[in-house]
């Protein structure tokens, strides 16, 4: 079934590391206009289809700024045109400072059953340095409210490699998040892109070796706390993986709606322009588009790249069923990485180890 991603580009403030499509200059009129265009997009895309979907994901930006009522109206429109599976995973991203009782109760009314909170650190000084506007106490309160009034299926985001972060403070963040007992944890290494505020700042950042140590430490600590790693940066308890994000990694079709949203849909990969004002005015322009059916070689390389990001890895029989060719030549190239502890092979499936995830780009480049 299809996964549907809806991009909400509004934020109270821009985080120092963020280069996503978002704006801090908005009002209710602007958000209502954005919602109207989203509804128009839904009507146009699904006018003549009998499409079924089993995941819906509101990302951003900060969807909680958009408001639960607007999210509800968009979901109502989706349900008019798409058959949403009764057990669909419906996720909304939120920031702790904008996640309150009224927000959670309204989301539940509209069928939202998963919440992803951007916590990033349990250390207030680290949060301040990267431009977050919440405290960890607010994050704790948001989790408590969400569990009571919305869902137990909560995912919390963390970042390692922050300015002035030490192994001790990273351990404190990890333990504090574990203590909140979320169903899912995402742990991302800080990467500063040119479009972010922090890119040109003089910061005391942990070096690559320290980041690697932080990552491996997190994998082990989370494992001991009952969180199984299923992708480079993602960990879940009791099988509570992100079903929506998993579509990105196994090349299941997904449709992105909204400014700067991307899709793999109808045999094409395409993305929309990130010009928010144009989008609100109904000018929906493609920023890129390619026919995946004409690019089998590229699609095969993309499959290898994405599946080696997951702990599922690449099953030889599955690879053959998809692409009609043997994986043996790729397997031969992986032998040296297996020998050195970066990958493993169980007779049917190749996968990277946590140590291998750290140099996954190197390994993937060697293969493809």
């Amino acid at each position: 079934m299809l996964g549907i991603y809806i991009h909400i580009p509004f934020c109270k403030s821009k985080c120092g590391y963020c280069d996503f499509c978002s704006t801090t200059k908005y009002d209710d009129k602007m958000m209502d206009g954005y919602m109207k265009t989203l509804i128009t997009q839904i009507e146009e895309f699904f006018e003549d289809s009998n499409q079924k979907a089993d995941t819906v994901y509101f990302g951003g930006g900060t969807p909680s700024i958009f408001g639960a009522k607007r999210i509800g109206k968009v979901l109502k429109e989706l349900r008019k045109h798409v058959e949403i599976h009764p057990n669909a995973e419906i996720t909304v991203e939120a920031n702790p400072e904008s996640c309150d009782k009224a927000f959670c109760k309204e989301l539940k009314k509209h069928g939202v059953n998963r919440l992803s909170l951007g916590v990033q650190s349990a250390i207030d000084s680290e949060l301040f340095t990267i431009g977050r506007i919440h405290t960890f106490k607010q994050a704790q309160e948001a989790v408590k409210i969400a569990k009571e009034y919305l869902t137990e299926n909560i995912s919390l985001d963390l970042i390692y490699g922050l300015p002035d972060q030490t192994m001790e403070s990273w351990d404190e963040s990890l333990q504090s998040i574990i203590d909140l007992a979320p169903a899912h944890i995402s742990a991302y290494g800080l990467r500063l892109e040119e479009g972010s505020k922090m890119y040109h700042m003089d910061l005391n950042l942990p070096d690559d070796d320290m980041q690697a140590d932080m990552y491996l430490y997190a994998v082990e600590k989370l494992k001991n706390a009952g969180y199984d790693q299923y992708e480079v940066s993602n960990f879940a308890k009791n099988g509570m993986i992100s079903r929506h994000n998993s579509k990105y990694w196994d090349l299941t079709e997904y449709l992105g709606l909204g400014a700067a949203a991307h899709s793999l849909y109808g045999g094409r990969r395409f993305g929309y322009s990130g010009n928010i004002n144009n989008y609100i005015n109904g000018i929906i322009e493609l920023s890129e588009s390619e026919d995946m059916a004409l690019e089998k070689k590229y699609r095969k390389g993309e499959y290898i790249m994405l599946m080696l990001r997951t702990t599922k890895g690449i099953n030889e029989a599955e690879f053959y069923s998809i692409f009609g060719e043997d994986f043996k030549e790729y397997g031969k190239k992986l032998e040296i990485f297996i020998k050195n502890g970066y990958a493993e092979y169980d007779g049917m499936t190749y996968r990277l180890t946590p140590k291998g995830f750290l140099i996954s780009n190197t390994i993937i480049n060697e293969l493809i």
Side-chain angles (χ1 to χ4, degrees):
M1 290 190 182
L2 185 68
I4 298 172
Y5 173 81
I6 297 168
H7 189 69
I8 307 297
F10 306 107
C11 288
K12 278 188 179 179
S13 66
K14 191 88 166 174
C15 299
Y17 54 84
C18 179
D19 69 331
F20 290 166
C21 172
S22 63
T23 180
T24 58
K25 297 176 181 177
Y26 63 88
D27 55 21
D28 283 336
K29 183 180 177 182
M30 189 174 180
M31 290 194 289
D32 285 341
Y34 192 87
M35 179 183 68
K36 186 178 177 183
T37 305
L38 275 175
I39 288 171
T40 299
Q41 254 200 309
I42 291 167
E43 291 170 344
E44 291 175 351
F45 252 109
F46 300 115
E47 185 178 10
D48 300 314
S49 77
N50 295 309
Q51 187 67 64
K52 297 178 181 180
D54 63 351
T55 69
V56 181
Y57 194 107
F58 288 83
T62 313
S64 45
I65 298 298
F66 194 57
K69 288 187 177 178
R70 290 189 184 93
I71 289 170
K73 287 178 181 178
V74 173
L75 282 170
K76 183 179 179 182
E77 191 65 29
L78 261 181
R79 289 188 175 101
K80 284 182 188 176
H81 301 276
V82 180
E83 185 181 332
I84 305 293
H85 192 279
N87 295 320
E89 175 192 87
I90 303 177
T91 305
V92 172
E93 288 183 353
N95 281 346
E97 75 281 353
S98 55
C99 181
D100 57 22
K101 179 179 172 180
F103 175 74
C104 288
K105 290 179 80 171
E106 185 73 18
L107 285 184
K108 186 160 189 174
K109 195 166 78 176
H110 297 294
V112 174
N113 53 22
R114 186 172 184 271
L115 187 72
S116 178
L117 279 171
V119 179
Q120 317 310 5
S121 173
I123 312 299
D124 286 348
S125 59
E126 292 177 357
L127 291 171
F128 177 79
T129 300
I130 62 177
R132 301 293 289 181
I133 58 175
H134 70 270
T135 63
F136 184 62
K137 187 175 180 180
Q138 285 176 299
Q140 291 170 307
E141 186 62 23
V143 171
K144 182 181 175 184
I145 289 169
K147 283 187 176 185
E148 185 173 354
Y149 296 103
L150 179 57
T151 180
E152 290 281 334
N153 193 1
I154 296 171
S155 178
L156 302 181
D157 286 357
L158 279 175
I159 301 177
Y160 59 91
L162 296 175
D164 299 315
Q165 192 174 44
T166 63
M167 190 60 83
E168 289 73 26
S169 68
W170 175 230
D171 177 63
E172 184 178 340
S173 281
L174 282 168
Q175 189 57 55
S176 298
I177 291 297
I178 290 167
D179 289 344
L180 292 174
H184 186 280
I185 295 173
S186 296
Y188 302 105
L190 180 68
R191 291 287 182 269
L192 296 178
E193 303 295 339
E194 197 165 347
S196 65
K197 291 179 186 177
M198 289 167 62
Y199 182 78
H200 297 290
M201 295 170 65
D202 184 19
L203 300 166
N204 178 30
L205 295 170
D207 61 22
D208 289 346
D209 287 341
M210 176 63 84
Q211 268 214 25
D213 289 343
M214 288 176 167
Y215 174 73
L216 294 174
Y217 182 80
V219 170
E220 191 63 24
K221 189 175 182 75
L222 291 172
K223 180 182 177 181
N224 291 336
Y227 291 89
D228 295 319
Q229 184 177 23
Y230 69 98
E231 194 267 348
V232 172
S233 304
N234 288 279
F235 307 80
K237 256 190 176 180
N238 305 317
M240 299 295 284
I241 67 171
S242 169
R243 286 158 49 196
H244 181 83
N245 285 349
S246 294
K247 292 179 184 292
Y248 302 148
W249 303 319
D250 66 11
L251 295 180
T252 302
E253 282 202 334
Y254 57 90
L255 176 67
L257 303 171
H262 284 70
S263 304
L264 174 60
Y265 183 72
R268 290 169 58 232
R269 189 179 284 289
F270 56 93
Y272 293 114
S273 161
N275 189 313
I276 298 166
N277 288 322
N278 277 358
Y279 183 84
I280 289 169
N281 291 322
I283 304 169
I284 305 173
E285 302 170 314
L286 289 175
S287 61
E288 59 184 84
S289 179
E290 60 182 326
D291 187 340
M292 299 297 288
L294 300 177
E295 299 288 347
K296 186 177 178 182
K297 184 179 177 183
Y298 169 79
R299 189 176 175 87
K300 183 171 61 179
E302 186 176 39
Y303 177 86
I304 291 170
M305 176 190 73
L306 292 169
M307 291 308 292
L308 285 181
R309 284 184 56 88
T310 72
T311 55
K312 178 184 175 184
I314 297 174
N315 178 276
E316 291 174 301
E318 186 176 278
F319 186 84
Y320 186 84
S321 72
I322 296 170
F323 299 105
E325 66 178 76
D326 211 305
F327 193 74
K328 280 182 181 175
E329 289 305 310
Y330 298 101
K332 286 178 184 176
K333 292 182 179 181
L334 280 168
E335 285 176 5
I336 189 170
F337 298 107
I338 294 170
K339 184 179 178 182
N340 289 290
Y342 294 106
E344 56 190 22
Y345 177 59
D346 63 8
M348 295 181 293
T349 301
Y350 291 90
R351 57 178 63 85
L352 301 188
T353 63
K355 193 170 95 166
F357 283 143
L358 286 169
I359 61 162
S360 58
N361 287 345
T362 300
I363 295 172
I364 291 162
N365 284 337
E366 181 68 24
L367 293 184
I368 64 175

